[in-house]
Amino acid sequence: QVQVVESGGALVQPGGSLTLSCIASGVSFSFRAMSWYRQSPGKERELVASATSSRITNYADSVKGRFTISRDNAKNAVYLQMNSLKPEDTAVYYCKVFTYAGVEYWGKGTLVTVSS
């Protein structure tokens, strides 16, 4: 059974940086896509960034130029480097993996709080 675990969430001041990590375990092959979503209280979950197995990336307009997604296919891992963080980036960040069979697996999330 595939398990998805995020880590790296923390409290950071505006303008600071954080790197989130996600590792998918329980299967010995790569995934079609791995992505990061986030959800703030009172808001719908939104796609932040995604990366295919060939490392084609996509970003939400709100994070372009500030966030960078990267993959390590051998480790079934995906990372999110977040720079120039803003208070509006505060959210629970979720990792999602998408298999070649079209099945999605989600992590439980990691909390990022941007505040002075």
Side-chain angles (χ1 to χ4, degrees):
Q1 185 69 38
V2 174
Q3 295 185 18
V4 180
V5 180
E6 308 97 333
S7 63
L11 171 65
V12 63
Q13 293 185 340
S17 299
L18 277 176
T19 299
L20 305 182
S21 299
C22 172
I23 297 177
S25 62
V27 63
S28 298
F29 52 79
S30 187
F31 298 95
R32 181 181 183 275
M34 303 183 77
S35 58
W36 288 97
Y37 288 74
R38 68 185 181 187
Q39 186 169 26
S40 300
K43 298 181 179 179
E44 294 186 350
R45 188 172 299 185
E46 64 172 340
L47 176 65
V48 177
S50 64
T52 69
S53 60
S54 59
R55 296 181 175 86
I56 298 173
T57 59
N58 185 49
Y59 297 91
D61 289 340
S62 60
V63 306
K64 286 182 179 178
R66 298 189 298 120
F67 292 9
T68 302
I69 188 171
S70 60
R71 287 185 59 164
D72 185 334
N73 290 335
K75 297 179 179 179
N76 280 333
V78 64
Y79 310 94
L80 186 67
Q81 174 66 49
M82 304 184 293
N83 299 320
S84 302
L85 283 163
K86 305 174 181 179
E88 54 262 42
D89 294 319
T90 296
V92 176
Y93 284 72
Y94 299 90
C95 179
K96 185 192 79 174
V97 301
F98 188 67
T99 73
Y100 285 95
V103 180
E104 296 181 352
Y105 296 92
W106 291 84
K108 294 182 179 179
T110 185
L111 177 63
V112 173
T113 302
V114 184
S115 177
S116 298

